[in-house]
Amino acid sequence: MISALNRLVDLVEEHIAEEFDVRGVAAEVGTTGYHLRRMFSSLAGMPLSEYVRRRRMTLAAADVVRGDDDLLTIAVRHGYGSTEAFGRAFRAVHGAGPGEVRREGGPLRTQPQLRFHLTVEGSVPMDTRLIDRPAFRLIGHAARVPLIHHGVNPHIQEHITALPPEEHPRLKALGDTEPGGLLQVSDDVDPDGREGTELTYLHGVAVSRNTPAPEDLDAIEVPAGKWAVFRTAGPHPQALQTTWAATATEWFPSNPWRLRPGPSIVAVLERADDFSTASCELWLPVEPA
């Protein structure tokens, strides 16, 4: 995966003014576009599209300051059809327009070319199991919410607290298969993991494929496949978010598995009354790399 990500970065530089096929790059290095984009955003801390934009504007800034060409020529060279579109993108990265930067020599915010390296970590073993599951269903109450990487997501909290108290035991009674208990399900997540993009959040339970869902509940059909299950314990949600990040930085680079499209599931096994601490299982859909 480290080699694949560095190959992707090299291709960005070779085709910096062009749109390129991430799936084709992924096939070249023996993985999938979905997994490559998820790993890039997790390890780089930004979506691939944002990195490409920053690199384009870094190189464009050098052309602007150099002053050899007019702004339209520079805009076209870097993949923009007009000086207006180029100017908006330039200002979004540098905080100033190209004309101002040409006159003043700045301000400039440079995005260095990324290089990924394998760091020896993993001194604390990750509590993981791999299981093969037949198709099943996730049923419960769903809502569209923005993706938030750190801390409690207030939109999810609002969705859960809006449910009547008697709904939680009702849902638990409906669950009849793994993962057990009340589940926190994230589906239809942007592969780039861009903060603020919308996902489907479902508060519910897992049932077997043929179990009918009550008409007032939403349902997500989950196909058969393999799952990596990570056990977490500690301050909530920090311990869970730390483990989630470690799957990208430690587990996937050192194991012959990759993410496949599908929902990610959090099963809360035990928790404090105020939810300040919890023991959880993080279920991620995987396939052989």
Side-chain angles (χ1 to χ4, degrees):
M1 181 49 57
I2 299 300
S3 175
L5 289 169
N6 284 326
R7 175 60 178 150
L8 178 61
V9 168
D10 289 340
L11 287 172
V12 167
E13 295 300 311
E14 293 172 17
H15 305 280
I16 194 65
E18 307 167 16
E19 297 296 330
F20 60 94
D21 183 9
V22 176
R23 288 178 297 180
V25 177
E28 176 187 326
V29 296
T31 186
T32 65
Y34 180 87
H35 184 67
L36 195 60
R37 288 166 65 190
R38 288 285 296 268
M39 291 298 100
F40 185 95
S41 63
S42 294
L43 295 175
M46 71 182 91
L48 175 61
S49 57
E50 176 64 15
Y51 172 70
V52 171
R53 185 171 71 99
R54 292 184 188 182
R55 282 298 296 156
R56 281 179 179 170
M57 291 301 101
T58 295
L59 299 177
D63 288 345
V64 168
V65 173
R66 191 178 297 119
D68 293 338
D69 299 304
D70 61 70
L71 294 181
L72 179 59
T73 299
I74 296 172
V76 172
R77 180 182 304 147
H78 292 282
Y80 293 87
S82 69
T83 54
E84 291 79 10
F86 174 70
R88 287 193 297 270
F90 193 95
R91 182 176 292 277
V93 170
H94 297 292
E100 180 182 348
V101 167
R102 172 161 283 183
R103 290 190 303 271
E104 305 294 335
L108 296 175
R109 296 172 185 164
T110 300
Q111 172 62 59
Q113 183 176 345
L114 287 177
R115 299 307 296 175
F116 293 91
H117 301 280
L118 183 62
T119 301
V120 179
E121 295 179 345
S123 58
V124 178
M126 297 184 71
D127 187 353
T128 313
R129 59 192 174 107
L130 290 160
I131 60 175
D132 203 348
R133 292 283 287 112
F136 61 97
R137 310 176 78 195
L138 296 162
I139 63 171
H141 298 275
R144 295 290 288 175
V145 300
L147 175 62
I148 295 177
H149 288 299
H150 302 290
V152 175
N153 188 318
H155 307 278
I156 291 177
Q157 287 293 95
E158 181 180 351
H159 174 62
I160 296 173
T161 55
L163 299 175
E166 62 271 15
E167 189 63 11
H168 303 291
R170 177 204 174 205
L171 287 171
K172 288 184 71 173
L174 291 171
D176 63 9
T177 190
E178 278 199 293
L182 285 175
L183 308 175
Q184 303 168 359
V185 179
S186 299
D187 193 26
D188 193 26
V189 179
D190 176 12
D192 286 330
R194 292 174 295 171
E195 186 148 8
T197 55
E198 284 198 334
L199 59 95
T200 297
Y201 174 82
L202 182 137
H203 183 75
V205 294
V207 298
S208 59
R209 184 179 185 181
N210 297 322
T211 299
E215 291 185 0
D216 63 326
L217 297 183
D218 302 296
I220 297 174
E221 303 294 334
V222 183
K226 293 187 179 296
W227 295 79
V229 183
F230 303 88
R231 182 74 175 259
T232 75
H236 188 80
Q238 293 85 353
L240 176 63
Q241 291 170 337
T242 298
T243 296
W244 207 314
T247 65
T249 59
E250 297 182 35
W251 195 82
F252 280 109
S254 56
N255 286 276
W257 300 92
R258 66 189 178 205
L259 284 168
R260 59 182 172 86
S264 56
I265 304 170
V266 174
V268 179
L269 307 179
E270 298 176 348
R271 69 178 181 88
D273 291 340
D274 62 358
F275 229 138
S276 59
T277 62
S279 296
C280 304
E281 282 187 342
L282 169 62
W283 290 56
L284 297 179
V286 297
E287 62 188 5

